[in-house]
Amino acid sequence: MLRRSLLTLCVALVAALANAAPKQIDLLITGGTVLTMAGPTIERGSVAIDDGKIVAVGLSSDIDRNYTAKTTIDARGKAVMPGLINTHTHVPMTLFRGIADDRDLMDWLQNFIFPAEAKNVTRDFVRAGTRLAAAEMIRSGTTTFTDMYYFESDIADETKKAGLRAVLGETLIDFPAPDNKTWDAAIDYMRGYVKQWKGDRLVTPAFAPHAPFTVSREHLIQVRALATELGVPILIHVSETKNELQQVAEKQNGMTPGKYLDSINFLGPDVVAAHGVWLTAEEQAIFAKKKTGVAHCPESNMMLASGIAPVVDMLHAGINVGLGTDGPAGSNNNLDMLEEAASAARLAKVSKGDPKAMSAHAALEMATICGARVLGMDKRIGSLEAGKQADVIVIDLQQPKIQPVYNVESAIVYAASGSAVDTTIVDGKILMRGGKVLTVDVPAAVAKAKQIRDAVLQSLKK
Amino acid sequence: MLRRSLLTLCVALVAALANAAPKQIDLLITGGTVLTMAGPTIERGSVAIDDGKIVAVGLSSDIDRNYTAKTTIDARGKAVMPGLINTHTHVPMTLFRGIADDRDLMDWLQNFIFPAEAKNVTRDFVRAGTRLAAAEMIRSGTTTFTDMYYFESDIADETKKAGLRAVLGETLIDFPAPDNKTWDAAIDYMRGYVKQWKGDRLVTPAFAPHAPFTVSREHLIQVRALATELGVPILIHVSETKNELQQVAEKQNGMTPGKYLDSINFLGPDVVAAHGVWLTAEEQAIFAKKKTGVAHCPESNMMLASGIAPVVDMLHAGINVGLGTDGPAGSNNNLDMLEEAASAARLAKVSKGDPKAMSAHAALEMATICGARVLGMDKRIGSLEAGKQADVIVIDLQQPKIQPVYNVESAIVYAASGSAVDTTIVDGKILMRGGKVLTVDVPAAVAKAKQIRDAVLQSLKK
């Protein structure tokens, strides 16, 4: 009887000690203003991270005593929030940044971008461009990006090396591409690419049929079927310019691009439509019903004079809308998602004639959790919640540009820009700390970018 | 005869030596990509500065051998350009940054800004706000700013301490202001203010009657006469919102604000009209004829949903148009002139449906030499030319966000932001070097801003 009581006591003591003893974890971010994007902002909050995942979020006074961390980041005076999610870009085009701005779209495409791509885009080129873009994205707090380009398997490899998360769509188009000269070769490439990367922790391979006017109906139907078969998402430009509307109408019995895609059962929750500038109310209802997300790219739409996307209407219609920078060659020209969020809010306000049309909070949602929904990844990323992957950024609020702070969301969207990001974490791994990028050799990436610029300029002279 | 020949020889030798010997100067900026804004861009150029003025601009290979400088700035890999000129802001409002965004203008003004100003704006407040704003402006490459606020003589004092150049307009308005409770007191203040500051090397005092709908006809006529008498410029908000149009029309026989001001002979080359969002073609012709410049504030106009200013039309009409950030409280919320230039170009493009509507070059002109013209200071500042005051900035182009550079103007406007500014020089004095602000105690300014924020929040609870 005594032995039994002693045993019970011991078990109880061990249990109590186990409860009391702080749990060992990889990383603790403590003392910051935590924007979870899943509930109210936490002043003096902590985010506990272990094995790539968030294990707890809450008041530092509650969280910190429960954990001892291998690494602790002091976030006092800083904001802690989910990493930014860029839902549409073309990262290797960083190497064409500013090559031909302030021109008509067709002049820009036909006299600069297409010849420059035809003559220069190789595996080496896309790798160099991805490294440069990765440095820029890590520096400015993007943790997940969505790409449409060529040699996407090489882009995937560099993305993984940089430690970023990405949905990477191999571009499929009805004319010879830099990597695959024929449609069938591109489809073959896709099968191998998906086989190699599907299930990767960071990289999600995707199909990226270029647009409804550059890929035939038969090819779009083929892509739709293959994407379903292989279980990977589809990225596509939709309704970006008036010119596209005209071309689609001419070829597809007067249909608008969104209606046309719906008519061939192309749309679904696994499709990300970039731009959607000219989506009609009817198309918006279809997109909402089919759960097809839209990547809103306000700076690109402004820069190329494509038009002003009906972003407020799309949100009201129930469409998942994320933010995208688009490629940094003539259509932005940078990958700064905080600047993009500010532009999104400001453009929505002025175009609606209503300063309440889009709040700082709504813009940050588009840049985080709504972007995750667009990519079908909101169970894994987009907010700071226990169980999600640890994609987290820390923003230094102490710059004179940002102070004083009355409202942290307003400060981040309207006053800060990407340069205020201090720390970038993806999948629990620190990619930048104290403004220093750790996973990309930045001087080497910049030096290589200059070399390639010289070669590109040379190639255009020929 | 021999003595005479020897004398001649000596004189010739001395002259030759004087020509050959490098001239001693204060400052040489060498090896940069020099955007003079007065001619073609100079690759590997130098700017020689002495006694606050530019003494030479040209190829480093030509310039450098002619001078020995007390201080030399190596600008290799960097851009060198005229300092940015902000033609419209309210710098002490940095202390209200983000206090109440995403609201209707009247809600914002009547429930937040007016009560917050009435309860908090003192001499101490405007001085603290000016220090904070000065730190932000120096950090982001603004060398001249244009202010409309209260206690402007205190703002002038802090501006001079920070080493910035400014046109500082004391706000005159038909209701009790934080500094002067009556109109007559404000006019008295103005006389003293102008007497104290007129002729200062850095500060130009100005009248700032608030707007055509908040200052009576009689008072506007009085201000116009006094400004002419005292020889100082006038700053005024004109045609910013539709609400203003309605109010002016009701009181002034259906006239639009610009027409109304012209009808009382208010306009002239010494008037700076902020916003001009709703200026009609007829008014634009009048402004061009009267040489009244416009401060275009695209981010404020977007943020407050005031409308899209017809900036391209105004430029075509021959109006001098500069760029302004407006105040950083609900209408921006920062003082970054490079971000403003990008927004100006992008908004002009999308609103005109033409990517050629405003080039990076045109946006930079607005931010520099055109801004100088708006302020009537283009003989002294706004471009890098021998004889002008040495207001110069150096921008680091080596960030991954900016590289590679195909076109330096595009890189500065569309890829860089104020955080890329490396060195800021006003009147030949270095205010920031290597990103470190030298003339403002930044941590102290930020600490004071936080203190004031707490007091403001407390005051609004009462």
Side-chain angles (χ1 to χ4, degrees):
Chain A
M1 190 66 186
L2 182 68
R3 280 179 64 189
R4 199 177 210 174
S5 294
L6 270 174
L7 189 68
T8 311
L9 187 68
C10 285
V11 168
L13 270 170
V14 167
L17 279 169
N19 273 337
K23 189 171 175 259
Q24 174 84 29
I25 56 169
D26 291 333
L27 180 58
L28 181 71
I29 306 170
T30 180
T33 300
V34 181
L35 289 80
T36 66
M37 303 311 292
T41 295
I42 305 165
E43 291 295 341
R44 286 185 213 91
S46 285
V47 181
I49 293 166
D50 196 45
D51 195 24
K53 289 196 174 182
I54 296 168
V55 293
V57 182
L59 286 168
S60 297
S61 54
D62 293 338
I63 300 282
D64 293 11
R65 60 176 173 219
N66 299 328
Y67 301 98
T68 37
K70 287 177 209 157
T71 305
T72 298
I73 293 175
D74 181 352
R76 281 176 296 175
K78 298 175 181 175
V80 182
M81 64 174 285
L84 305 169
I85 298 173
N86 188 341
T87 57
H88 181 65
T89 185
H90 312 277
V91 294
M93 293 183 86
T94 44
L95 294 172
F96 296 133
R97 193 196 308 274
I99 194 173
D101 303 322
D102 308 327
R103 286 166 200 274
D104 282 323
L105 184 69
M106 286 301 141
D107 176 20
W108 173 72
L109 270 177
Q110 289 172 356
N111 297 320
F112 292 88
I113 296 301
F114 288 159
E117 285 188 336
K119 289 170 179 168
N120 295 282
V121 174
T122 61
R123 293 178 60 185
D124 183 58
F125 178 99
V126 305
R127 283 181 176 266
T130 305
R131 287 195 298 272
L132 181 70
E136 182 183 353
M137 290 189 283
I138 293 168
R139 184 66 201 79
S140 54
T142 292
T143 55
T144 296
F145 70 98
T146 312
D147 194 68
M148 294 174 72
Y149 211 60
Y150 308 105
F151 300 106
E152 209 68 32
S153 187
D154 288 277
I155 295 173
D157 198 46
E158 292 292 339
T159 298
K160 206 169 159 69
K161 281 183 193 163
L164 285 166
R165 197 181 301 283
V167 178
L168 302 177
E170 168 71 14
T171 299
L172 302 161
I173 192 163
D174 281 354
F175 55 81
D179 50 355
N180 298 297
K181 301 304 166 199
T182 66
W183 180 265
D184 289 346
I187 294 293
D188 279 353
Y189 178 95
M190 269 307 302
R191 287 189 180 275
Y193 170 49
V194 171
K195 198 170 167 187
Q196 187 184 349
W197 288 97
K198 195 167 178 236
D200 186 85
R201 189 160 167 148
L202 292 176
V203 169
T204 303
F207 284 84
H210 178 266
F213 69 106
T214 50
V215 179
S216 72
R217 174 186 288 245
E218 293 64 35
H219 285 164
L220 287 174
I221 291 169
Q222 184 188 4
V223 165
R224 174 64 274 179
L226 262 175
T228 304
E229 177 198 323
L230 300 174
V232 296
I234 300 175
L235 316 175
I236 184 167
H237 297 97
V238 181
S239 223
E240 180 178 1
T241 66
K242 279 189 177 169
N243 181 279
E244 174 186 343
L245 260 58
Q246 200 183 326
Q247 291 202 44
V248 170
E250 277 169 18
K251 289 183 202 158
Q252 312 297 344
N253 293 318
M255 277 189 284
T256 47
K259 282 269 283 185
Y260 161 53
L261 290 177
D262 187 46
S263 77
I264 57 171
N265 294 311
F266 190 88
L267 302 175
D270 56 353
V271 175
V272 179
H275 301 294
V277 172
W278 299 100
L279 287 182
T280 62
E282 188 192 357
E283 289 176 304
Q284 291 173 37
I286 295 170
F287 274 56
K289 194 175 156 202
K290 296 292 171 82
K291 300 192 191 305
T292 296
V294 170
H296 174 45
C297 305
E299 293 193 349
S300 166
N301 300 157
M302 294 172 85
M303 183 100 170
L304 297 171
S306 306
I308 297 176
V311 60
V312 177
D313 301 340
M314 291 195 281
L315 289 167
H316 284 172
I319 300 177
N320 290 325
V321 182
L323 275 185
T325 57
D326 207 347
S331 51
N332 193 309
N333 288 345
N334 63 68
L335 301 169
D336 190 318
M337 283 287 291
L338 289 183
E339 287 180 11
E340 199 73 36
S343 290
R346 292 191 189 116
L347 186 61
K349 290 164 190 287
V350 77
S351 65
K352 280 287 180 185
D354 178 5
K356 303 183 303 308
M358 183 176 292
S359 65
H361 179 74
L364 278 187
E365 280 191 326
M366 289 206 300
T368 57
I369 185 65
C370 294
R373 277 184 210 124
V374 168
L375 302 179
M377 294 169 80
D378 50 308
K379 294 279 186 293
R380 295 167 60 209
I381 57 169
S383 60
L384 302 183
E385 294 177 272
K388 283 201 172 180
Q389 303 301 126
D391 292 6
V392 187
I393 61 173
V394 182
I395 300 174
D396 185 358
L397 302 173
Q398 301 309 306
Q399 297 180 14
K401 188 187 180 192
I402 302 172
Q403 286 290 333
V405 176
Y406 287 87
N407 174 315
V408 69
E409 291 180 328
S410 158
I412 291 170
V413 173
Y414 301 126
S417 67
S419 63
V421 178
D422 174 83
T423 299
T424 301
I425 297 160
V426 174
D427 218 51
K429 185 178 173 188
I430 302 174
L431 310 188
M432 175 173 77
R433 189 160 180 188
K436 188 169 166 46
V437 175
L438 304 172
T439 52
V440 180
D441 181 342
V442 178
V446 166
K448 178 79 177 176
K450 290 177 186 176
Q451 256 181 36
I452 290 178
R453 173 206 54 198
D454 292 346
V456 167
L457 288 173
Q458 209 52 41
S459 79
L460 289 176
K461 280 184 195 155
K462 282 170 196 163
Chain B
M1 190 67 188
L2 183 67
R3 280 180 64 186
R4 197 174 209 173
S5 294
L6 270 173
L7 189 70
T8 310
L9 188 67
C10 284
V11 167
L13 268 170
V14 166
L17 278 169
N19 272 337
K23 190 172 173 257
Q24 175 85 27
I25 55 169
D26 291 334
L27 179 59
L28 180 71
I29 306 169
T30 178
T33 300
V34 181
L35 288 81
T36 65
M37 303 312 291
T41 295
I42 305 165
E43 292 294 341
R44 287 186 212 91
S46 286
V47 181
I49 293 166
D50 196 46
D51 193 24
K53 289 198 173 182
I54 297 168
V55 292
V57 183
L59 286 168
S60 297
S61 54
D62 293 338
I63 300 284
D64 293 11
R65 61 175 171 220
N66 298 327
Y67 301 99
T68 37
K70 287 177 208 157
T71 305
T72 298
I73 293 176
D74 180 353
R76 281 176 296 175
K78 298 175 181 175
V80 181
M81 63 175 286
L84 305 169
I85 297 173
N86 188 341
T87 56
H88 181 65
T89 185
H90 312 277
V91 293
M93 293 183 86
T94 45
L95 295 172
F96 296 133
R97 193 197 307 274
I99 194 173
D101 303 322
D102 308 327
R103 288 166 199 274
D104 282 323
L105 184 69
M106 285 301 142
D107 177 20
W108 172 72
L109 270 177
Q110 289 172 356
N111 297 319
F112 292 89
I113 297 301
F114 287 158
E117 285 187 336
K119 289 169 178 168
N120 295 281
V121 174
T122 61
R123 293 178 60 183
D124 183 57
F125 179 98
V126 304
R127 283 182 175 265
T130 305
R131 288 195 297 273
L132 182 70
E136 182 183 353
M137 290 189 284
I138 293 168
R139 183 65 202 81
S140 55
T142 292
T143 53
T144 296
F145 70 100
T146 312
D147 194 67
M148 294 175 71
Y149 212 60
Y150 307 105
F151 300 106
E152 210 67 33
S153 188
D154 288 277
I155 295 174
D157 198 45
E158 293 292 339
T159 298
K160 206 169 160 68
K161 281 184 194 164
L164 285 165
R165 198 182 300 283
V167 178
L168 302 177
E170 167 71 15
T171 299
L172 302 162
I173 192 163
D174 280 355
F175 54 80
D179 50 354
N180 297 298
K181 302 305 167 199
T182 66
W183 180 265
D184 289 346
I187 294 294
D188 277 354
Y189 179 94
M190 270 306 304
R191 287 191 181 274
Y193 170 49
V194 171
K195 198 171 168 186
Q196 186 182 351
W197 288 98
K198 194 166 179 236
D200 186 85
R201 189 157 168 149
L202 292 175
V203 169
T204 303
F207 284 85
H210 179 266
F213 69 107
T214 50
V215 179
S216 71
R217 174 186 288 245
E218 292 65 33
H219 285 164
L220 287 174
I221 291 169
Q222 184 188 2
V223 165
R224 172 66 273 177
L226 263 175
T228 304
E229 177 197 324
L230 300 174
V232 296
I234 300 175
L235 316 176
I236 184 167
H237 296 99
V238 180
S239 222
E240 179 178 1
T241 66
K242 279 189 176 169
N243 180 278
E244 173 186 343
L245 260 57
Q246 200 182 326
Q247 291 201 47
V248 170
E250 277 169 18
K251 288 183 203 159
Q252 312 296 344
N253 292 320
M255 276 190 283
T256 48
K259 281 270 281 185
Y260 161 53
L261 291 176
D262 188 46
S263 77
I264 58 170
N265 294 312
F266 189 89
L267 302 176
D270 56 353
V271 175
V272 179
H275 301 295
V277 173
W278 299 100
L279 286 182
T280 63
E282 188 192 357
E283 288 176 304
Q284 291 171 37
I286 294 170
F287 275 55
K289 194 176 156 203
K290 296 293 171 81
K291 300 193 191 306
T292 296
V294 171
H296 174 46
C297 306
E299 293 193 350
S300 167
N301 300 158
M302 295 173 84
M303 183 100 170
L304 297 172
S306 307
I308 298 176
V311 59
V312 177
D313 301 341
M314 290 195 281
L315 289 166
H316 284 173
I319 300 178
N320 290 326
V321 182
L323 275 184
T325 57
D326 207 348
S331 50
N332 193 309
N333 290 344
N334 62 68
L335 301 169
D336 191 318
M337 283 287 292
L338 289 183
E339 288 181 11
E340 200 73 36
S343 290
R346 291 191 190 116
L347 187 62
K349 289 164 190 284
V350 76
S351 64
K352 280 288 181 185
D354 177 5
K356 304 183 301 309
M358 183 177 292
S359 66
H361 178 74
L364 279 187
E365 280 191 328
M366 288 207 300
T368 56
I369 186 65
C370 294
R373 275 183 212 125
V374 167
L375 302 180
M377 294 169 80
D378 51 308
K379 295 280 187 293
R380 295 167 59 207
I381 58 169
S383 60
L384 302 183
E385 294 178 271
K388 284 201 171 180
Q389 302 301 126
D391 293 6
V392 187
I393 61 174
V394 181
I395 300 175
D396 184 358
L397 302 174
Q398 300 309 306
Q399 298 181 14
K401 187 186 181 192
I402 302 172
Q403 286 292 331
V405 176
Y406 288 87
N407 174 315
V408 70
E409 291 180 328
S410 158
I412 291 170
V413 174
Y414 301 126
S417 67
S419 63
V421 177
D422 175 85
T423 299
T424 301
I425 296 160
V426 175
D427 218 50
K429 185 177 173 188
I430 302 175
L431 310 188
M432 176 174 78
R433 188 160 181 189
K436 187 169 167 45
V437 175
L438 304 171
T439 52
V440 180
D441 180 342
V442 178
V446 166
K448 177 80 177 175
K450 290 177 185 176
Q451 257 181 35
I452 290 178
R453 174 206 53 198
D454 293 345
V456 167
L457 287 173
Q458 207 53 40
S459 78
L460 289 177
K461 280 184 194 155
K462 282 170 195 164

